[in-house]
Amino acid sequence: MSEIKSHSGYGKKLEIIRKNELGPCFDVALEEKTAYIVGGCSLYVADVELPGNLEITGRLSGLGSVRQVAVQNKLAYISSRADGVFIVDASNPEKPFLLCHYDSVELATGIFVSGNLLFVANRDFGVEIIDAGNPEKPVHLSSAHTGEAQSVYVQGNYLYAGVWSAAKLVTVNISNPCKPEITAKADLDGFGDGVCIQGRYAYAATGHHQPLWLKTGRTSES
């Protein structure tokens, strides 16, 4: 086994201001001074106006194998693997309530909301595009067949998906959301996972960094 390299080049260690005893959590989204946290089959709503005094104000349980959360206008959109997608109204942070339980095409993993459109990374079935203009009755529009999509990010008329086993970042034109078109694929140094776009740059989180294994099926030790 190769030695673990020092991480000193990444700067000083970040300080934990406060830790809440919520147990294992998968994802968090922030809107204004409110945080939306998913973990333990639940959505937690937290007041983060004072980060050193984070306060959990509400909780909705029974949401299955929660994975990611996206928030827009105090509506929380939650991917939950085999349990599909949950849409929660959190306009009252003390009493979030379920608006809809949507049966996604496959294992709902990544999620992103933009305007009236909801995007769900469905692993082997790519990215599902949904009309969520009526959040109580979302409607399937199409699927972008990107491969094993893990996460998804949208900017303008383009969708970006982190594709796991193919180790790629896939770009999709969604100017017509009923007919998405794959426009580009970029190789990643590891399995495609989280993705974020800032300006002209795409930032991709990857896992299992073994380029030799990806290319030949062999590790550097075999």
Side-chain angles (χ1 to χ4, degrees):
M1 297 292 290
S2 60
E3 294 183 4
I4 298 176
K5 295 182 179 179
S6 170
H7 293 283
S8 59
Y10 292 106
K12 75 172 189 176
K13 186 176 180 180
L14 298 177
E15 178 185 358
I16 297 176
I17 298 175
R18 178 176 174 181
K19 181 179 179 181
N20 283 76
E21 301 301 328
L22 297 180
C25 294
F26 276 94
D27 196 18
V28 60
L30 186 67
E31 187 176 58
E32 297 178 347
K33 299 296 183 180
T34 304
Y36 302 82
I37 306 161
V38 290
C41 303
S42 301
L43 168 71
Y44 298 91
V45 183
D47 183 342
V48 292
E49 185 170 3
L50 298 174
N53 189 32
L54 184 148
E55 177 185 359
I56 302 297
T57 59
R59 177 188 180 188
L60 180 64
S61 58
L63 302 181
S65 303
V66 293
R67 281 300 184 273
Q68 292 187 21
V69 57
V71 178
Q72 182 176 266
N73 299 327
K74 299 183 180 180
L75 293 180
Y77 302 82
I78 301 162
S79 61
S80 194
R81 294 285 284 173
D83 297 299
V85 173
F86 295 90
I87 302 177
V88 177
D89 186 328
S91 54
N92 181 347
E94 297 181 2
K95 295 182 179 180
F97 66 92
L98 184 65
L99 278 181
C100 175
H101 182 196
Y102 177 82
D103 187 13
S104 57
V105 169
E106 199 222 5
L107 300 179
T109 304
I111 197 159
F112 194 95
V113 60
S114 178
N116 290 334
L117 296 178
L118 181 64
F119 303 86
V120 181
N122 278 305
R123 298 303 298 270
D124 290 341
F125 280 79
V127 180
E128 183 176 3
I129 303 175
I130 301 162
D131 183 343
N134 180 352
E136 296 183 46
K137 294 182 179 180
V139 177
H140 170 87
L141 294 178
S142 64
S143 289
H145 299 291
T146 60
E148 190 181 3
Q150 187 85 352
S151 293
V152 58
Y153 193 96
V154 173
Q155 180 173 271
N157 288 328
Y158 288 91
L159 173 160
Y160 302 85
V163 180
W164 184 253
S165 58
K168 293 184 183 296
L169 175 68
V170 178
T171 305
V172 182
N173 186 323
I174 54 167
S175 53
N176 181 350
C178 294
K179 293 183 178 181
E181 179 184 357
I182 294 175
T183 58
K185 297 180 180 180
D187 293 331
L188 298 174
D189 184 18
F191 293 161
D193 199 338
V195 59
C196 182
I197 308 298
Q198 185 69 39
R200 58 181 292 188
Y201 293 103
Y203 299 86
T206 59
H208 303 285
H209 295 266
Q210 294 187 27
L212 181 62
W213 184 89
L214 293 174
K215 294 177 181 178
T216 67
R218 298 182 294 109
T219 69
S220 58
E221 299 171 358
S222 61

